[in-house]
């Protein structure tokens, strides 16, 4: 009997300390965690897009109220209470983009999208998701076409569609399955089934850690420990897309949407880093990632870690340079397209409007003031596009 009592006491004590550790991890996540860990709190995994915001959620995130519908897309308290397919069918404007379009740290009603809808007296749905790149956006569109076929039947229901991707596409990391491989290996019709099964298995393994704050902390600690004492990666960590790949995919998607009768507006990617660009460091980041991978393959772990640390230190400069290149590439390609086609949409350059630190809450996310400036820039083009769409109905 004594051993049973001891076992029960040990189990109770273990449960108690696990509970204490979980509460401590939650406290850490609220105070000391970085944006990656904080964002994962409001996400769940998705078998095709890797992750999405949790559906039917009412919480606070980054200091603002966050409400999502049953499909996991953001809504505001004053929006129609219709279910998602009905809202989608009735929408005149759709927005697809990353966290800056989603409205990171800003109430939904103060995002540039909702401000623009009110200015145009229009109905719309914000289909943006935190951390998404353009290829995940295309996955959203494919799924929506299955739910509401009218979206992909030419001429049935023209809409104004705003595409605002860019900032995540040139990153090397994802919220899940962040293994330094490009997005083309994960999304789209060209991904073979064996590759898809492999990353889905990794996705589900990570999700098991993410179900609790303690598991999330352990996963992040293991990842950072691997960087600190491991042998780095034996493969060069690549960006999710190059600026050229991104522009090509986005323009091809834009053309597909226009062939369905939609009017497509493309926004650039404003940013404001708190330092001056060092092009030397930016260009060396890729070289240092490659050197780290080479050293790792040779088993020279000390040099692998050293080159990896150098690469990570230079990475913010590389991101800034690639964002400049991406914006310039889009502007150049869409400018040529406007001259050679009868495209009714186009490119809206908003980055020049956001010129002060008060316009951002961090290098890539807009403040309330920033959202107001973005809305004022896109409003004339949006109102014109809306009038054309309404005239066709």
């Amino acid at each position: 009997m004594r051993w049973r009592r001891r076992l029960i006491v040990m189990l109770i004590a273990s449960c108690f300390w696990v509970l204490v550790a979980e509460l401590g991890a939650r406290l850490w996540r609220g105070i000391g965690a970085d944006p990656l860990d904080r964002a994962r709190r409001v996400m769940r995994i998705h078998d095709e897009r890797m992750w999405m915001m949790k559906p039917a959620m009412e919480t606070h995130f980054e200091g603002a109220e966050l409400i999502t519908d049953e499909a996991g897309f953001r809504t505001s308290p004053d929006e129609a209470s219709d279910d998602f397919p009905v809202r989608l069918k009735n929408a005149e404007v759709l927005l697809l983009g990353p966290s800056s379009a989603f409205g990171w740290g800003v109430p939904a009603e103060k995002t540039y999208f909702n401000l623009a809808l009110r200015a145009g007296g229009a109905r719309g749905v914000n289909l943006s998701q935190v951390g998404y790149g353009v290829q995940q956006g295309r996955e959203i569109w494919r799924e929506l076409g299955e739910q509401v076929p009218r979206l992909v039947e030419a001429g049935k229901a023209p809409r104004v569609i705003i595409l605002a991707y860019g900032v995540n596409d040139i990153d090397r990391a994802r919220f899940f399955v962040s293994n330094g491989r490009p997005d083309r290996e994960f999304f789209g019709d060209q991904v073979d089934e064996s590759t898809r099964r492999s990353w889905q298995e990794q996705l589900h393994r990570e999700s098991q850690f993410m179900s609790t704050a303690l598991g999330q902390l352990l996963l992040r600690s293991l990842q950072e420990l691997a960087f600190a004492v491991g042998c780095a990666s034996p493969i060069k960590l690549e960006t999710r897309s190059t600026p050229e790949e991104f522009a090509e995919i986005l323009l091809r998607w834009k053309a597909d949407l226009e062939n369905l009768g939609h009017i497509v507006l493309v926004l650039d990617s404003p940013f404001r880093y708190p330092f001056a660009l060092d092009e030397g460091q930016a260009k060396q980041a890729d070289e240092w990632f490659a050197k780290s991978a080479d050293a790792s393959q040779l088993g020279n772990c000390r040099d692998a870690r050293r080159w990896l640390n150098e690469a990570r230190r230079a990475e913010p400069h590389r991101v800034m340079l690639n964002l400049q290149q991406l914006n310039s590439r889009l502007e150049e390609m869409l400018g040529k397209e406007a001259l050679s086609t009868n495209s009714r949409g186009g490119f809206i350059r908003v980055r020049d409007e956001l010129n002060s630190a008060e316009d951002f809450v961090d290098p890539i996310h807009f403040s309330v003031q920033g959202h107001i400036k973005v809305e004022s820039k896109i409003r004339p083009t949006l109102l014109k596009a809306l009038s054309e769409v309404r005239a066709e109905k």
Side-chain angles (χ1 to χ4, degrees), residues 35-40 43 50-51 61 99 104 129-132 136 168 171 173-178 203 206 210 219 223 240 365:
L36 169 63
D37 295 302
R38 297 197 300 270
R40 281 174 165 174
M43 292 175 175
M50 288 198 183
W51 68 88
F61 174 65
S99 50
W104 180 281
Q129 289 277 319
V130 172
Y132 271 30
Q136 285 167 297
N168 295 312
D171 203 351
R174 283 178 288 268
F175 280 98
F176 292 89
V177 195
S178 183
L203 177 66
E206 290 185 19
M210 304 306 297
L219 176 63
Q223 290 170 340
R240 294 177 61 177
H365 295 119

PDB file of all heavy atoms in Angstrom, residues 35-40 43 50-51 61 99 104 129-132 136 168 171 173-178 203 206 210 219 223 240 365:
ATOM      1  N   PRO A  35       7.747  38.514 -31.169  1.00  0.00           N
ATOM      2  CA  PRO A  35       6.517  38.456 -31.982  1.00  0.00           C
ATOM      3  C   PRO A  35       6.189  37.069 -32.518  1.00  0.00           C
ATOM      4  O   PRO A  35       5.010  36.716 -32.641  1.00  0.00           O
ATOM      5  CB  PRO A  35       6.819  39.446 -33.115  1.00  0.00           C
ATOM      6  CG  PRO A  35       7.764  40.429 -32.509  1.00  0.00           C
ATOM      7  CD  PRO A  35       8.625  39.616 -31.583  1.00  0.00           C
ATOM      8  N   LEU A  36       7.219  36.268 -32.832  1.00  0.00           N
ATOM      9  CA  LEU A  36       6.971  34.919 -33.333  1.00  0.00           C
ATOM     10  C   LEU A  36       6.200  34.100 -32.316  1.00  0.00           C
ATOM     11  O   LEU A  36       5.181  33.471 -32.631  1.00  0.00           O
ATOM     12  CB  LEU A  36       8.293  34.234 -33.677  1.00  0.00           C
ATOM     13  CG  LEU A  36       8.241  32.735 -33.964  1.00  0.00           C
ATOM     14  CD1 LEU A  36       7.387  32.458 -35.199  1.00  0.00           C
ATOM     15  CD2 LEU A  36       9.638  32.169 -34.143  1.00  0.00           C
ATOM     16  N   ASP A  37       6.658  34.100 -31.068  1.00  0.00           N
ATOM     17  CA  ASP A  37       5.997  33.310 -30.035  1.00  0.00           C
ATOM     18  C   ASP A  37       4.621  33.867 -29.701  1.00  0.00           C
ATOM     19  O   ASP A  37       3.684  33.107 -29.454  1.00  0.00           O
ATOM     20  CB  ASP A  37       6.862  33.278 -28.776  1.00  0.00           C
ATOM     21  CG  ASP A  37       8.171  32.553 -28.998  1.00  0.00           C
ATOM     22  OD1 ASP A  37       8.127  31.377 -29.384  1.00  0.00           O
ATOM     23  OD2 ASP A  37       9.232  33.164 -28.821  1.00  0.00           O
ATOM     24  N   ARG A  38       4.493  35.184 -29.693  1.00  0.00           N
ATOM     25  CA  ARG A  38       3.187  35.778 -29.376  1.00  0.00           C
ATOM     26  C   ARG A  38       2.168  35.460 -30.469  1.00  0.00           C
ATOM     27  O   ARG A  38       1.002  35.190 -30.182  1.00  0.00           O
ATOM     28  CB  ARG A  38       3.329  37.293 -29.200  1.00  0.00           C
ATOM     29  CG  ARG A  38       4.219  37.694 -28.027  1.00  0.00           C
ATOM     30  CD  ARG A  38       4.011  39.133 -27.631  1.00  0.00           C
ATOM     31  NE  ARG A  38       4.310  40.075 -28.705  1.00  0.00           N
ATOM     32  CZ  ARG A  38       5.503  40.625 -28.924  1.00  0.00           C
ATOM     33  NH1 ARG A  38       6.529  40.291 -28.142  1.00  0.00           N
ATOM     34  NH2 ARG A  38       5.684  41.498 -29.897  1.00  0.00           N
ATOM     35  N   ALA A  39       2.594  35.504 -31.717  1.00  0.00           N
ATOM     36  CA  ALA A  39       1.668  35.237 -32.817  1.00  0.00           C
ATOM     37  C   ALA A  39       1.210  33.786 -32.827  1.00  0.00           C
ATOM     38  O   ALA A  39       0.052  33.485 -33.141  1.00  0.00           O
ATOM     39  CB  ALA A  39       2.319  35.593 -34.149  1.00  0.00           C
ATOM     40  N   ARG A  40       2.094  32.870 -32.484  1.00  0.00           N
ATOM     41  CA  ARG A  40       1.719  31.454 -32.483  1.00  0.00           C
ATOM     42  C   ARG A  40       0.583  31.161 -31.509  1.00  0.00           C
ATOM     43  O   ARG A  40      -0.145  30.185 -31.670  1.00  0.00           O
ATOM     44  CB  ARG A  40       2.938  30.600 -32.140  1.00  0.00           C
ATOM     45  CG  ARG A  40       3.899  30.394 -33.311  1.00  0.00           C
ATOM     46  CD  ARG A  40       5.138  29.675 -32.864  1.00  0.00           C
ATOM     47  NE  ARG A  40       5.912  29.164 -33.985  1.00  0.00           N
ATOM     48  CZ  ARG A  40       7.108  28.592 -33.872  1.00  0.00           C
ATOM     49  NH1 ARG A  40       7.658  28.462 -32.670  1.00  0.00           N
ATOM     50  NH2 ARG A  40       7.748  28.150 -34.938  1.00  0.00           N
ATOM     51  N   MET A  43      -2.708  31.114 -33.411  1.00  0.00           N
ATOM     52  CA  MET A  43      -2.701  30.361 -34.665  1.00  0.00           C
ATOM     53  C   MET A  43      -2.987  28.889 -34.425  1.00  0.00           C
ATOM     54  O   MET A  43      -2.810  28.375 -33.322  1.00  0.00           O
ATOM     55  CB  MET A  43      -1.322  30.458 -35.339  1.00  0.00           C
ATOM     56  CG  MET A  43      -0.962  31.819 -35.854  1.00  0.00           C
ATOM     57  SD  MET A  43       0.737  31.813 -36.484  1.00  0.00           S
ATOM     58  CE  MET A  43       0.816  33.475 -37.162  1.00  0.00           C
ATOM     59  N   MET A  50      -0.141  25.529 -44.023  1.00  0.00           N
ATOM     60  CA  MET A  50       0.732  25.361 -42.845  1.00  0.00           C
ATOM     61  C   MET A  50       0.120  25.938 -41.575  1.00  0.00           C
ATOM     62  O   MET A  50       0.132  25.297 -40.544  1.00  0.00           O
ATOM     63  CB  MET A  50       2.128  25.943 -43.075  1.00  0.00           C
ATOM     64  CG  MET A  50       2.967  25.145 -44.028  1.00  0.00           C
ATOM     65  SD  MET A  50       4.704  25.568 -43.860  1.00  0.00           S
ATOM     66  CE  MET A  50       5.388  24.564 -45.141  1.00  0.00           C
ATOM     67  N   TRP A  51      -0.348  27.172 -41.625  1.00  0.00           N
ATOM     68  CA  TRP A  51      -0.961  27.746 -40.429  1.00  0.00           C
ATOM     69  C   TRP A  51      -2.025  28.741 -40.843  1.00  0.00           C
ATOM     70  O   TRP A  51      -2.105  29.174 -41.987  1.00  0.00           O
ATOM     71  CB  TRP A  51       0.080  28.428 -39.533  1.00  0.00           C
ATOM     72  CG  TRP A  51       0.680  29.677 -40.126  1.00  0.00           C
ATOM     73  CD1 TRP A  51       0.191  30.949 -40.019  1.00  0.00           C
ATOM     74  CD2 TRP A  51       1.865  29.774 -40.929  1.00  0.00           C
ATOM     75  NE1 TRP A  51       0.993  31.828 -40.705  1.00  0.00           N
ATOM     76  CE2 TRP A  51       2.030  31.137 -41.270  1.00  0.00           C
ATOM     77  CE3 TRP A  51       2.791  28.838 -41.375  1.00  0.00           C
ATOM     78  CZ2 TRP A  51       3.090  31.578 -42.051  1.00  0.00           C
ATOM     79  CZ3 TRP A  51       3.847  29.287 -42.165  1.00  0.00           C
ATOM     80  CH2 TRP A  51       4.002  30.640 -42.479  1.00  0.00           C
ATOM     81  N   PHE A  61      -4.770  40.883 -28.940  1.00  0.00           N
ATOM     82  CA  PHE A  61      -3.499  40.489 -29.534  1.00  0.00           C
ATOM     83  C   PHE A  61      -2.711  41.749 -29.876  1.00  0.00           C
ATOM     84  O   PHE A  61      -3.215  42.640 -30.571  1.00  0.00           O
ATOM     85  CB  PHE A  61      -3.754  39.654 -30.796  1.00  0.00           C
ATOM     86  CG  PHE A  61      -2.515  39.309 -31.570  1.00  0.00           C
ATOM     87  CD1 PHE A  61      -1.541  38.495 -31.012  1.00  0.00           C
ATOM     88  CD2 PHE A  61      -2.316  39.794 -32.851  1.00  0.00           C
ATOM     89  CE1 PHE A  61      -0.388  38.173 -31.709  1.00  0.00           C
ATOM     90  CE2 PHE A  61      -1.173  39.471 -33.565  1.00  0.00           C
ATOM     91  CZ  PHE A  61      -0.205  38.662 -32.995  1.00  0.00           C
ATOM     92  N   SER A  99       0.543  40.321 -42.370  1.00  0.00           N
ATOM     93  CA  SER A  99       0.118  40.913 -41.100  1.00  0.00           C
ATOM     94  C   SER A  99      -0.084  42.424 -41.169  1.00  0.00           C
ATOM     95  O   SER A  99      -0.910  42.968 -40.436  1.00  0.00           O
ATOM     96  CB  SER A  99       1.134  40.580 -40.003  1.00  0.00           C
ATOM     97  OG  SER A  99       2.452  40.880 -40.428  1.00  0.00           O
ATOM     98  N   TRP A 104      -1.798  44.263 -37.720  1.00  0.00           N
ATOM     99  CA  TRP A 104      -1.015  43.871 -36.535  1.00  0.00           C
ATOM    100  C   TRP A 104      -1.010  45.013 -35.513  1.00  0.00           C
ATOM    101  O   TRP A 104      -0.543  46.107 -35.781  1.00  0.00           O
ATOM    102  CB  TRP A 104       0.403  43.551 -36.971  1.00  0.00           C
ATOM    103  CG  TRP A 104       1.363  43.138 -35.900  1.00  0.00           C
ATOM    104  CD1 TRP A 104       2.011  43.962 -35.032  1.00  0.00           C
ATOM    105  CD2 TRP A 104       1.823  41.811 -35.609  1.00  0.00           C
ATOM    106  NE1 TRP A 104       2.842  43.244 -34.207  1.00  0.00           N
ATOM    107  CE2 TRP A 104       2.746  41.913 -34.537  1.00  0.00           C
ATOM    108  CE3 TRP A 104       1.549  40.551 -36.141  1.00  0.00           C
ATOM    109  CZ2 TRP A 104       3.397  40.804 -33.997  1.00  0.00           C
ATOM    110  CZ3 TRP A 104       2.201  39.450 -35.600  1.00  0.00           C
ATOM    111  CH2 TRP A 104       3.108  39.577 -34.548  1.00  0.00           C
ATOM    112  N   GLN A 129      -3.678  37.083 -43.703  1.00  0.00           N
ATOM    113  CA  GLN A 129      -3.270  36.191 -42.627  1.00  0.00           C
ATOM    114  C   GLN A 129      -1.850  36.543 -42.195  1.00  0.00           C
ATOM    115  O   GLN A 129      -0.986  36.836 -43.032  1.00  0.00           O
ATOM    116  CB  GLN A 129      -3.321  34.741 -43.080  1.00  0.00           C
ATOM    117  CG  GLN A 129      -4.719  34.178 -43.283  1.00  0.00           C
ATOM    118  CD  GLN A 129      -5.351  33.697 -41.986  1.00  0.00           C
ATOM    119  OE1 GLN A 129      -4.707  33.087 -41.133  1.00  0.00           O
ATOM    120  NE2 GLN A 129      -6.631  33.975 -41.825  1.00  0.00           N
ATOM    121  N   VAL A 130      -1.610  36.486 -40.894  1.00  0.00           N
ATOM    122  CA  VAL A 130      -0.308  36.829 -40.340  1.00  0.00           C
ATOM    123  C   VAL A 130       0.761  35.859 -40.847  1.00  0.00           C
ATOM    124  O   VAL A 130       0.579  34.630 -40.806  1.00  0.00           O
ATOM    125  CB  VAL A 130      -0.357  36.804 -38.799  1.00  0.00           C
ATOM    126  CG1 VAL A 130       1.038  36.961 -38.204  1.00  0.00           C
ATOM    127  CG2 VAL A 130      -1.286  37.903 -38.291  1.00  0.00           C
ATOM    128  N   GLY A 131       1.865  36.410 -41.351  1.00  0.00           N
ATOM    129  CA  GLY A 131       3.003  35.593 -41.767  1.00  0.00           C
ATOM    130  C   GLY A 131       2.913  35.027 -43.164  1.00  0.00           C
ATOM    131  O   GLY A 131       3.805  34.283 -43.575  1.00  0.00           O
ATOM    132  N   TYR A 132       1.888  35.367 -43.920  1.00  0.00           N
ATOM    133  CA  TYR A 132       1.698  34.743 -45.228  1.00  0.00           C
ATOM    134  C   TYR A 132       2.535  35.395 -46.318  1.00  0.00           C
ATOM    135  O   TYR A 132       2.762  36.605 -46.318  1.00  0.00           O
ATOM    136  CB  TYR A 132       0.222  34.813 -45.637  1.00  0.00           C
ATOM    137  CG  TYR A 132      -0.594  33.635 -45.157  1.00  0.00           C
ATOM    138  CD1 TYR A 132      -0.266  32.963 -43.977  1.00  0.00           C
ATOM    139  CD2 TYR A 132      -1.698  33.184 -45.869  1.00  0.00           C
ATOM    140  CE1 TYR A 132      -1.025  31.888 -43.540  1.00  0.00           C
ATOM    141  CE2 TYR A 132      -2.459  32.112 -45.431  1.00  0.00           C
ATOM    142  CZ  TYR A 132      -2.118  31.464 -44.260  1.00  0.00           C
ATOM    143  OH  TYR A 132      -2.853  30.385 -43.827  1.00  0.00           O
ATOM    144  N   GLN A 136       1.007  31.402 -50.350  1.00  0.00           N
ATOM    145  CA  GLN A 136      -0.058  31.032 -49.424  1.00  0.00           C
ATOM    146  C   GLN A 136      -1.338  31.794 -49.760  1.00  0.00           C
ATOM    147  O   GLN A 136      -2.445  31.269 -49.601  1.00  0.00           O
ATOM    148  CB  GLN A 136       0.364  31.316 -47.982  1.00  0.00           C
ATOM    149  CG  GLN A 136       1.359  30.310 -47.432  1.00  0.00           C
ATOM    150  CD  GLN A 136       1.995  30.773 -46.141  1.00  0.00           C
ATOM    151  OE1 GLN A 136       2.686  31.789 -46.119  1.00  0.00           O
ATOM    152  NE2 GLN A 136       1.763  30.045 -45.062  1.00  0.00           N
ATOM    153  N   ASN A 168       6.918  39.122 -46.196  1.00  0.00           N
ATOM    154  CA  ASN A 168       7.276  37.775 -45.738  1.00  0.00           C
ATOM    155  C   ASN A 168       7.967  36.948 -46.807  1.00  0.00           C
ATOM    156  O   ASN A 168       8.691  35.998 -46.495  1.00  0.00           O
ATOM    157  CB  ASN A 168       6.023  37.026 -45.259  1.00  0.00           C
ATOM    158  CG  ASN A 168       5.407  37.663 -44.037  1.00  0.00           C
ATOM    159  OD1 ASN A 168       6.097  37.968 -43.077  1.00  0.00           O
ATOM    160  ND2 ASN A 168       4.104  37.893 -44.091  1.00  0.00           N
ATOM    161  N   ASP A 171      11.752  36.730 -46.607  1.00  0.00           N
ATOM    162  CA  ASP A 171      12.322  36.249 -45.345  1.00  0.00           C
ATOM    163  C   ASP A 171      12.874  34.839 -45.543  1.00  0.00           C
ATOM    164  O   ASP A 171      12.592  34.171 -46.532  1.00  0.00           O
ATOM    165  CB  ASP A 171      11.239  36.247 -44.264  1.00  0.00           C
ATOM    166  CG  ASP A 171      11.815  36.312 -42.861  1.00  0.00           C
ATOM    167  OD1 ASP A 171      13.047  36.180 -42.721  1.00  0.00           O
ATOM    168  OD2 ASP A 171      11.031  36.483 -41.908  1.00  0.00           O
ATOM    169  N   ALA A 173      12.506  32.612 -42.921  1.00  0.00           N
ATOM    170  CA  ALA A 173      11.823  31.811 -41.902  1.00  0.00           C
ATOM    171  C   ALA A 173      10.316  31.852 -42.113  1.00  0.00           C
ATOM    172  O   ALA A 173       9.776  32.768 -42.711  1.00  0.00           O
ATOM    173  CB  ALA A 173      12.168  32.335 -40.510  1.00  0.00           C
ATOM    174  N   ARG A 174       9.654  30.822 -41.625  1.00  0.00           N
ATOM    175  CA  ARG A 174       8.200  30.758 -41.562  1.00  0.00           C
ATOM    176  C   ARG A 174       7.798  30.509 -40.114  1.00  0.00           C
ATOM    177  O   ARG A 174       8.622  30.141 -39.286  1.00  0.00           O
ATOM    178  CB  ARG A 174       7.679  29.610 -42.438  1.00  0.00           C
ATOM    179  CG  ARG A 174       7.672  29.871 -43.927  1.00  0.00           C
ATOM    180  CD  ARG A 174       7.177  28.655 -44.697  1.00  0.00           C
ATOM    181  NE  ARG A 174       8.173  27.600 -44.668  1.00  0.00           N
ATOM    182  CZ  ARG A 174       9.118  27.435 -45.612  1.00  0.00           C
ATOM    183  NH1 ARG A 174       9.160  28.254 -46.643  1.00  0.00           N
ATOM    184  NH2 ARG A 174       9.997  26.475 -45.512  1.00  0.00           N
ATOM    185  N   PHE A 175       6.534  30.689 -39.809  1.00  0.00           N
ATOM    186  CA  PHE A 175       6.067  30.413 -38.451  1.00  0.00           C
ATOM    187  C   PHE A 175       6.161  28.926 -38.131  1.00  0.00           C
ATOM    188  O   PHE A 175       6.376  28.542 -36.990  1.00  0.00           O
ATOM    189  CB  PHE A 175       4.618  30.892 -38.288  1.00  0.00           C
ATOM    190  CG  PHE A 175       4.504  32.370 -38.044  1.00  0.00           C
ATOM    191  CD1 PHE A 175       4.226  33.239 -39.086  1.00  0.00           C
ATOM    192  CD2 PHE A 175       4.696  32.899 -36.776  1.00  0.00           C
ATOM    193  CE1 PHE A 175       4.129  34.595 -38.869  1.00  0.00           C
ATOM    194  CE2 PHE A 175       4.604  34.259 -36.552  1.00  0.00           C
ATOM    195  CZ  PHE A 175       4.317  35.116 -37.606  1.00  0.00           C
ATOM    196  N   PHE A 176       5.977  28.080 -39.147  1.00  0.00           N
ATOM    197  CA  PHE A 176       6.102  26.637 -38.961  1.00  0.00           C
ATOM    198  C   PHE A 176       6.944  26.080 -40.109  1.00  0.00           C
ATOM    199  O   PHE A 176       7.022  26.664 -41.188  1.00  0.00           O
ATOM    200  CB  PHE A 176       4.722  25.954 -38.953  1.00  0.00           C
ATOM    201  CG  PHE A 176       3.883  26.301 -37.760  1.00  0.00           C
ATOM    202  CD1 PHE A 176       3.038  27.385 -37.777  1.00  0.00           C
ATOM    203  CD2 PHE A 176       3.942  25.537 -36.602  1.00  0.00           C
ATOM    204  CE1 PHE A 176       2.257  27.722 -36.673  1.00  0.00           C
ATOM    205  CE2 PHE A 176       3.173  25.848 -35.494  1.00  0.00           C
ATOM    206  CZ  PHE A 176       2.328  26.942 -35.526  1.00  0.00           C
ATOM    207  N   VAL A 177       7.565  24.935 -39.875  1.00  0.00           N
ATOM    208  CA  VAL A 177       8.440  24.284 -40.855  1.00  0.00           C
ATOM    209  C   VAL A 177       9.443  25.311 -41.407  1.00  0.00           C
ATOM    210  O   VAL A 177       9.591  25.490 -42.609  1.00  0.00           O
ATOM    211  CB  VAL A 177       7.621  23.632 -41.994  1.00  0.00           C
ATOM    212  CG1 VAL A 177       8.500  22.659 -42.784  1.00  0.00           C
ATOM    213  CG2 VAL A 177       6.422  22.870 -41.447  1.00  0.00           C
ATOM    214  N   SER A 178      10.107  25.961 -40.489  1.00  0.00           N
ATOM    215  CA  SER A 178      11.078  26.994 -40.865  1.00  0.00           C
ATOM    216  C   SER A 178      12.442  26.350 -41.076  1.00  0.00           C
ATOM    217  O   SER A 178      13.338  26.441 -40.241  1.00  0.00           O
ATOM    218  CB  SER A 178      11.155  28.068 -39.778  1.00  0.00           C
ATOM    219  OG  SER A 178      12.021  29.098 -40.157  1.00  0.00           O
ATOM    220  N   LEU A 203       5.159  19.527 -39.708  1.00  0.00           N
ATOM    221  CA  LEU A 203       4.180  20.494 -39.220  1.00  0.00           C
ATOM    222  C   LEU A 203       3.413  19.942 -38.025  1.00  0.00           C
ATOM    223  O   LEU A 203       3.253  20.621 -37.004  1.00  0.00           O
ATOM    224  CB  LEU A 203       3.222  20.854 -40.358  1.00  0.00           C
ATOM    225  CG  LEU A 203       2.063  21.804 -40.040  1.00  0.00           C
ATOM    226  CD1 LEU A 203       2.594  23.182 -39.686  1.00  0.00           C
ATOM    227  CD2 LEU A 203       1.113  21.893 -41.233  1.00  0.00           C
ATOM    228  N   GLU A 206       5.610  19.767 -34.862  1.00  0.00           N
ATOM    229  CA  GLU A 206       5.751  21.079 -34.221  1.00  0.00           C
ATOM    230  C   GLU A 206       4.468  21.475 -33.509  1.00  0.00           C
ATOM    231  O   GLU A 206       4.506  22.081 -32.431  1.00  0.00           O
ATOM    232  CB  GLU A 206       6.124  22.134 -35.273  1.00  0.00           C
ATOM    233  CG  GLU A 206       7.526  21.991 -35.825  1.00  0.00           C
ATOM    234  CD  GLU A 206       7.890  23.122 -36.771  1.00  0.00           C
ATOM    235  OE1 GLU A 206       7.229  24.180 -36.722  1.00  0.00           O
ATOM    236  OE2 GLU A 206       8.832  22.954 -37.567  1.00  0.00           O
ATOM    237  N   MET A 210       3.178  23.085 -29.774  1.00  0.00           N
ATOM    238  CA  MET A 210       2.526  24.383 -29.727  1.00  0.00           C
ATOM    239  C   MET A 210       1.205  24.370 -28.981  1.00  0.00           C
ATOM    240  O   MET A 210       0.601  25.417 -28.772  1.00  0.00           O
ATOM    241  CB  MET A 210       2.292  24.900 -31.154  1.00  0.00           C
ATOM    242  CG  MET A 210       3.534  24.987 -32.006  1.00  0.00           C
ATOM    243  SD  MET A 210       4.842  25.949 -31.233  1.00  0.00           S
ATOM    244  CE  MET A 210       4.049  27.535 -31.140  1.00  0.00           C
ATOM    245  N   LEU A 219      10.048  24.130 -27.420  1.00  0.00           N
ATOM    246  CA  LEU A 219      10.396  24.076 -28.835  1.00  0.00           C
ATOM    247  C   LEU A 219      11.321  25.216 -29.214  1.00  0.00           C
ATOM    248  O   LEU A 219      12.350  25.015 -29.880  1.00  0.00           O
ATOM    249  CB  LEU A 219       9.122  24.123 -29.686  1.00  0.00           C
ATOM    250  CG  LEU A 219       9.337  24.165 -31.202  1.00  0.00           C
ATOM    251  CD1 LEU A 219      10.033  22.891 -31.682  1.00  0.00           C
ATOM    252  CD2 LEU A 219       8.006  24.343 -31.927  1.00  0.00           C
ATOM    253  N   GLN A 223      15.260  25.023 -30.473  1.00  0.00           N
ATOM    254  CA  GLN A 223      15.697  25.621 -31.726  1.00  0.00           C
ATOM    255  C   GLN A 223      16.879  26.563 -31.507  1.00  0.00           C
ATOM    256  O   GLN A 223      17.854  26.550 -32.266  1.00  0.00           O
ATOM    257  CB  GLN A 223      14.524  26.369 -32.376  1.00  0.00           C
ATOM    258  CG  GLN A 223      13.435  25.451 -32.907  1.00  0.00           C
ATOM    259  CD  GLN A 223      12.176  26.186 -33.325  1.00  0.00           C
ATOM    260  OE1 GLN A 223      11.926  27.322 -32.897  1.00  0.00           O
ATOM    261  NE2 GLN A 223      11.371  25.561 -34.165  1.00  0.00           N
ATOM    262  N   ARG A 240      12.284  32.684 -48.800  1.00  0.00           N
ATOM    263  CA  ARG A 240      11.050  32.023 -49.224  1.00  0.00           C
ATOM    264  C   ARG A 240      10.806  32.243 -50.719  1.00  0.00           C
ATOM    265  O   ARG A 240      10.314  31.358 -51.411  1.00  0.00           O
ATOM    266  CB  ARG A 240       9.880  32.539 -48.383  1.00  0.00           C
ATOM    267  CG  ARG A 240       9.985  32.155 -46.915  1.00  0.00           C
ATOM    268  CD  ARG A 240       8.859  32.732 -46.081  1.00  0.00           C
ATOM    269  NE  ARG A 240       7.553  32.250 -46.531  1.00  0.00           N
ATOM    270  CZ  ARG A 240       6.416  32.567 -45.932  1.00  0.00           C
ATOM    271  NH1 ARG A 240       6.430  33.353 -44.838  1.00  0.00           N
ATOM    272  NH2 ARG A 240       5.265  32.097 -46.384  1.00  0.00           N
ATOM    273  N   HIS A 365       5.156  46.935 -39.610  1.00  0.00           N
ATOM    274  CA  HIS A 365       3.733  47.031 -39.288  1.00  0.00           C
ATOM    275  C   HIS A 365       3.339  48.488 -39.048  1.00  0.00           C
ATOM    276  O   HIS A 365       4.016  49.207 -38.326  1.00  0.00           O
ATOM    277  CB  HIS A 365       3.400  46.191 -38.050  1.00  0.00           C
ATOM    278  CG  HIS A 365       3.595  44.720 -38.273  1.00  0.00           C
ATOM    279  ND1 HIS A 365       4.480  43.966 -37.539  1.00  0.00           N
ATOM    280  CD2 HIS A 365       3.036  43.884 -39.172  1.00  0.00           C
ATOM    281  CE1 HIS A 365       4.441  42.712 -37.964  1.00  0.00           C
ATOM    282  NE2 HIS A 365       3.587  42.638 -38.964  1.00  0.00           N
TER     283      HIS A 365
END
